[in-house]
Amino acid sequence: MKKYDVIVIGSGPGGEGAAMKLSKEGKIVAIVESFYEVGGNCTHRGTIPSKALRHCSQQLSEAEMANTSYPNMVNKASTVIAQQVKLRKSFYSRNDVDVLHGFAKFISTNIIEVKNNNGLIEQYESDVFVIATGTSPYHPDFIDFNNPRILDSNSILDFEGNPKSITIFGSGVIACEYASIFRRLSIKVNLINTSDKLLSFLDDEIIDALSYHLRECGVTIRHNEQLEKVVADDSSVSLHLKSKKIIKSDVLVYAQGRSGNTLGMGLEDIGVELDNRNLIKINANYQSSLPHIYAVGDVIGYPGLASASYDQGRFAASHIVHGECESVLLENMPTGIYTIPEISCIGKTERELTEEKVPYEIGHSFFKHLAYSQISGNTTGVLKILFHRDTLELLGVHCFGPHSAEIIHIGQAIMAQKGEGNTLRYFVNTTFNYPTMAEAYRVAALNGLNRVDLH
């Protein structure tokens, strides 16, 4: 039986972050991956495929949108996945990390067995483990996911049909992103929301902008709906809602909730505590109820971002090696939502500041007024800065429109500064290249200052 210092289970961002740092710190490391290639859910089922699909759909002309099949789009996206796999394999090879392909199961607190696709089982021992197995779409018992017309956010990538209509049940990030993608392909889209607004964690103004643009491009949104039953046959799927509505379409994509990929791993048998969604409970150092078994990434729940997962892996590795966990870097994390147009935000929303009774003011920059936006033809969008009315400290930045996920990092960098470095005046006193999208910060800052009586 081969023994390692640390075995990492899962090669998504969290597992990769942990494995790379541990190896560079001189540890003997192996990583276990149940997919046929490294990269985890992020590369094969989540972030990379959906964003590649989104990019492909955005490149289509109006004429191409009506004539491009969904399977062709998936094939185009597969080239990006292959490039990512090749890159990540090189990371493990260069850093002497053994890659063990198969499904890992604990048979004791320090030994796992790995069963590969051919049914062969090997056992491995380790002093420490890092679990980074991610999550999977939640499947209610009353829905038959064996029906080829009933899909989730994983199986949609294997769908070989070319539907004319799709119903998406869910109101989260995945649901909204796929609604944007499918509508760009001239597919009729029904988006069924169980609450009164989409993405309720966002600033209300951004939520309103997203809802408006989804509807403007033809997505039918139905709020405050609950699912009663799903009826599928060889030609269609019908959603029967508790409001007595019946929504019929070619395909259903169920995108409501996710569960931790921990079933069958033997975790409960060795005393690792899970919550009701099969997520691993951890402490501030990413340790489970067994201190030598760590967990990072989506399998521990919030925030469920690939970027944060990578950092969590590094933090857990630091604690393993040095006994310290520098999780302070996770403060003020940006959120990127790749709808069309995309959304990115950091810090507080207006709703939160109002509830906390913080005296804030707003600075806006509408993209339609920026020279770069006018040149590129992408004039939809807004940059919104929330700042303290008295000190001018930045409290939140919210962006809706093209390049939002890139633009947000300027605000993130300034919000990370201390004292006078984190105020609206930075944007007023800084020279930005012209024409650029970054200039939106200067415009928004001046707009905000005009709202404040400084005398």
Side-chain angles (χ1 to χ4, degrees):
M1 183 190 307
K2 189 165 184 179
K3 186 177 187 299
Y4 293 91
D5 295 330
V6 185
I7 292 179
V8 180
I9 304 174
S11 67
E16 181 182 306
M20 291 301 101
K21 184 166 181 62
L22 288 164
S23 176
K24 292 179 187 301
E25 292 280 0
K27 297 295 183 182
I28 301 173
V29 183
I31 195 159
V32 183
E33 178 52 64
S34 60
F35 276 106
Y36 53 91
E37 295 282 13
V38 296
N41 282 326
C42 176
T43 299
H44 297 282
R45 293 294 183 191
T47 304
I48 298 302
S50 63
K51 277 52 177 181
L53 278 172
R54 174 184 181 270
H55 180 75
C56 289
S57 71
Q58 286 185 294
Q59 304 307 303
L60 298 175
S61 66
E62 292 295 328
E64 290 172 328
M65 279 193 287
N67 297 307
T68 300
S69 70
Y70 176 71
N72 286 342
M73 292 279 291
V74 174
N75 287 336
K76 290 180 180 179
S78 65
T79 61
V80 179
I81 296 172
Q83 291 170 342
Q84 285 287 306
V85 167
K86 182 178 179 181
L87 179 68
R88 304 207 122 64
K89 286 173 71 173
S90 71
F91 293 162
Y92 298 119
S93 176
R94 291 202 310 267
N95 288 278
D96 297 320
V97 175
D98 288 351
V99 178
L100 312 175
H101 286 283
F103 185 85
K105 179 180 179 180
F106 283 86
I107 58 174
S108 73
T109 55
N110 289 91
I111 298 175
I112 61 169
E113 61 179 26
V114 177
K115 183 177 182 180
N116 67 20
N117 293 333
N118 296 321
L120 297 177
I121 297 176
E122 296 282 350
Q123 292 186 354
Y124 302 92
E125 184 179 358
S126 182
D127 297 326
V128 181
F129 295 86
V130 180
I131 301 174
T133 48
T135 58
S136 294
Y138 171 66
H139 284 186
D141 294 337
F142 65 90
I143 298 178
D144 179 15
F145 285 88
N146 292 319
N147 188 295
R149 292 184 177 273
I150 300 177
L151 309 169
D152 59 31
S153 58
N154 282 356
S155 58
I156 187 61
L157 296 168
D158 300 321
F159 185 64
E160 297 180 352
N162 195 31
K164 294 182 179 179
S165 61
I166 286 179
T167 297
I168 302 173
F169 187 85
S171 57
V173 172
I174 293 172
C176 291
E177 288 180 350
Y178 271 110
S180 295
I181 293 169
F182 289 129
R183 189 62 200 132
R184 282 286 299 173
L185 295 174
S186 296
I187 297 171
K188 180 181 178 182
V189 178
N190 300 297
L191 182 57
I192 312 299
N193 179 14
T194 57
S195 60
D196 60 350
K197 61 181 68 177
L198 300 174
L199 305 179
S200 58
F201 60 90
L202 294 176
D203 188 87
D204 287 336
E205 188 173 350
I206 303 300
I207 295 170
D208 291 343
L210 173 64
S211 298
Y212 171 81
H213 284 282
L214 284 175
R215 285 194 171 104
E216 187 181 44
C217 73
V219 176
T220 300
I221 305 174
R222 299 179 188 273
H223 291 301
N224 295 311
E225 298 286 0
Q226 300 297 323
L227 186 58
E228 187 171 85
K229 64 178 179 179
V230 176
V231 179
D233 55 33
D234 293 338
S235 61
S236 65
V237 181
S238 295
L239 265 69
H240 293 246
L241 305 176
K242 291 185 178 179
S243 64
K244 302 305 179 184
K245 299 184 185 73
I246 299 177
I247 311 298
K248 187 176 182 179
S249 58
D250 294 339
V251 171
L252 165 66
V253 179
Y254 188 90
Q256 185 76 3
R258 298 181 70 83
S259 302
N261 289 334
T262 54
L263 294 179
M265 291 183 64
L267 293 174
E268 292 172 301
D269 295 336
I270 62 171
V272 173
E273 292 184 23
L274 308 176
D275 69 9
N276 59 0
R277 291 194 296 150
N278 297 319
L279 301 175
I280 298 175
K281 296 181 180 181
I282 59 161
N283 63 17
N285 298 318
Y286 300 98
Q287 294 169 294
S288 72
S289 48
L290 296 184
H292 74 290
I293 298 180
Y294 291 70
V296 298
D298 290 11
V299 77
I300 64 173
Y302 179 84
L305 300 171
S307 52
S309 296
Y310 192 91
D311 285 341
Q312 290 170 350
R314 291 173 50 242
F315 298 149
S318 291
H319 192 265
I320 291 168
V321 177
H322 303 295
E324 296 179 352
C325 188
E326 300 174 357
S327 59
V328 67
L329 293 179
L330 289 180
E331 292 181 2
N332 278 332
M333 283 185 301
T335 295
I337 300 169
Y338 295 89
T339 47
I340 303 173
E342 67 192 55
I343 298 167
S344 198
C345 57
I346 189 168
K348 301 284 188 176
T349 65
E350 282 200 68
R351 191 185 324 115
E352 291 170 330
L353 294 173
T354 299
E355 291 172 355
E356 295 169 11
K357 296 182 171 57
V358 176
Y360 73 92
E361 195 48 88
I362 308 168
H364 283 107
S365 175
F366 293 97
F367 290 2
K368 63 183 179 181
H369 298 144
L370 299 178
Y372 184 87
S373 294
Q374 294 167 357
I375 291 167
S376 66
N378 296 317
T379 56
T380 296
V382 62
L383 175 70
K384 175 179 180 178
I385 299 177
L386 304 179
F387 62 96
H388 196 286
R389 186 176 181 86
D390 300 326
T391 66
L392 304 185
E393 177 190 0
L394 299 190
L395 303 172
V397 180
H398 306 271
C399 196
F400 175 80
H403 312 295
S404 290
E406 300 287 350
I407 296 169
I408 200 69
H409 293 297
I410 298 173
Q412 178 190 25
I414 302 308
M415 288 182 68
Q417 306 306 307
K418 304 299 181 183
E420 287 295 319
N422 175 19
T423 72
L424 204 65
R425 291 200 180 280
Y426 172 85
F427 301 120
V428 176
N429 298 327
T430 295
T431 301
F432 289 89
N433 281 334
Y434 177 84
T436 61
M437 291 302 297
E439 185 200 6
Y441 278 96
R442 181 182 64 84
V443 175
L446 289 170
N447 176 262
L449 286 178
N450 286 338
R451 299 173 186 268
V452 179
D453 182 8
L454 298 179
H455 301 290

